[in-house]
Amino acid sequence: MTALSQTALLLELESVVEKNLDRHLSMAKEWFPHEYVPWSEGRTFDGPLGGEPWAETDSTVPDVARTALIVNLLTEDNLPSYHHEIATLFGRDGAWGTWVHRWTAEEGRHGTAIRDYLTVTRAVDPVALERARMVHMSTGYVNVHNDEVLHSLAYVSFQELATRISHRNTGKVTGDPACDALLTRVAADENLHMVFYRNLLAAAFELAPSQAMRAVADVLADFQMPGVGIDGFARKSVAIALAGIYDLRQHRDEVVVPVLRQWDVFNVTGLDADGDAARDQIAAHLDTLEQQAARFEEKRAARAARLAAAR
């Protein structure tokens, strides 16, 4: 079977995009960032207006929650790069273009809301946050598969769900009902985004099963969250994983497995030799993830035991 070109894939999936765009718009709830920010808690910072400088004691949010909030926000901050990537790949015309702009507008709302919350509640050092934003956005973001439609759809199907879980769990760890409510709202958007992309790739499995299977196998093999370019990301990711906000077990059991199940990848028919090989790679990757998750859980439990004994 001859592989479909990137242009052919975009054209063939256009009607699916239109259908799922209509679905998304019917389900997406309008919401306003200002309603989720406790403005009465705010006070002027030091600087030109002569307020009070930020101090660690300004907030009761735990350190690991601060780390997760910063990572989540800096990830959202790179929206211009993400928009460029998907607008370049999917185009700005027709249903694809309408989706690109709608998705960008919804994601932009997330960054606005989270930054307002962090600034007003003094949950993080605003100077350090702004410097980190400048560094991260100056680096930008480049999609590893920026010229491949199905690879990009596979990536965001997993990434949007991972982002939803990270936001949701971060809200819980903060111990602040206002932050929890805000990130629950953000997570609901991310879930709808995931469903949109997941449905598109489901259609691709019917249209070009072997190409779709190869895309999924390749994406899983080198999957990284879009915030990977954040300064100190590896160290921050370890802290986030140790706190149970987003770890290998969640990645495997709550992100990868459910999405693969929705696509029913192990029962897809009509595969060529490369499609079969890609499916075998996916199965092997799941086994590897299981081993890695189990090892991490053992190390985390041992670490917790050591810390408890030292108290």
Side-chain angles (χ1 to χ4, degrees):
M1 182 182 294
T2 303
L4 293 176
S5 68
Q6 302 306 306
T7 300
L9 288 167
L10 287 170
L11 291 173
E12 291 288 343
L13 290 172
E14 176 91 22
S15 62
V16 184
V17 174
E18 187 172 2
K19 176 182 176 183
N20 279 276
L21 176 60
D22 289 341
R23 177 189 181 280
H24 178 83
L25 294 176
S26 72
M27 298 188 70
K29 291 182 171 60
E30 183 181 44
W31 64 279
F32 304 97
H34 73 274
E35 296 180 344
Y36 288 83
V37 179
W39 299 99
S40 60
E41 294 182 19
R43 62 185 190 276
T44 305
F45 285 96
D46 59 332
L49 299 182
E52 302 172 38
W54 181 82
E56 289 274 353
T57 54
D58 284 347
S59 172
T60 59
V61 171
D63 285 345
V64 70
R66 289 179 182 176
T67 297
L69 284 164
I70 291 169
V71 168
N72 289 352
L73 177 55
L74 293 179
T75 299
E76 299 283 358
D77 278 335
N78 246 350
L79 183 60
S81 285
Y82 309 147
H83 175 85
H84 176 269
E85 292 293 301
I86 66 172
T88 301
L89 180 61
F90 297 151
R92 299 177 64 178
D93 300 318
W96 282 106
T98 302
W99 167 255
V100 166
H101 293 299
R102 174 71 190 202
W103 176 87
T104 301
E106 292 185 2
E107 290 289 348
R109 186 161 53 193
H110 300 166
T112 296
I114 296 172
R115 174 167 282 98
D116 284 348
Y117 167 83
L118 294 181
T119 303
V120 167
T121 63
R122 292 178 170 244
V124 302
D125 180 349
V127 173
L129 179 64
E130 176 59 11
R131 287 172 175 164
R133 185 189 71 85
M134 289 295 294
V135 170
H136 188 49
M137 290 191 70
S138 296
T139 302
Y141 172 81
V142 177
N143 177 8
V144 175
H145 306 287
N146 60 6
D147 60 348
E148 297 168 315
V149 173
L150 299 190
H151 282 72
S152 295
L153 291 176
Y155 174 76
V156 287
S157 295
F158 295 115
Q159 177 264 317
E160 292 281 8
L161 182 52
T163 302
R164 169 203 157 191
I165 291 171
S166 178
H167 279 311
R168 190 69 189 88
N169 289 340
T170 298
K172 295 176 183 177
V173 171
T174 63
D176 180 0
C179 189
D180 192 20
L182 167 60
L183 294 185
T184 297
R185 179 59 262 175
V186 170
D189 281 358
E190 304 289 10
N191 194 62
L192 285 179
H193 297 165
M194 178 275 293
V195 171
F196 178 90
Y197 290 123
R198 190 188 67 192
N199 287 352
L200 261 60
L201 199 65
F205 267 109
E206 297 182 7
L207 179 67
S210 294
Q211 284 176 263
M213 195 70 75
R214 170 49 58 198
V216 172
D218 289 348
V219 164
L220 287 178
D222 62 5
F223 183 85
Q224 290 181 314
M225 292 294 278
V228 67
I230 294 171
D231 187 39
F233 182 77
R235 173 175 44 81
K236 290 178 171 67
S237 294
V238 170
I240 288 168
L242 288 172
I245 294 172
Y246 193 81
D247 59 28
L248 279 168
R249 174 60 63 197
Q250 290 158 321
H251 179 67
R252 183 193 185 279
D253 293 357
E254 298 179 32
V255 175
V256 176
V257 170
V259 174
L260 293 179
R261 186 184 301 120
Q262 281 290 324
W263 292 327
D264 199 18
V265 295
F266 295 112
N267 292 308
V268 170
T269 58
L271 296 175
D272 59 19
D274 185 62
D276 277 327
R279 179 156 58 190
D280 289 343
Q281 290 171 23
I282 292 171
H285 183 71
L286 284 176
D287 290 341
T288 299
L289 280 178
E290 174 60 37
Q291 295 167 8
Q292 292 174 336
R295 281 200 300 270
F296 176 78
E297 288 171 327
E298 290 174 4
K299 291 180 179 178
R300 181 167 59 188
R303 178 179 182 274
R306 288 196 303 272
L307 291 174
R311 290 195 185 103

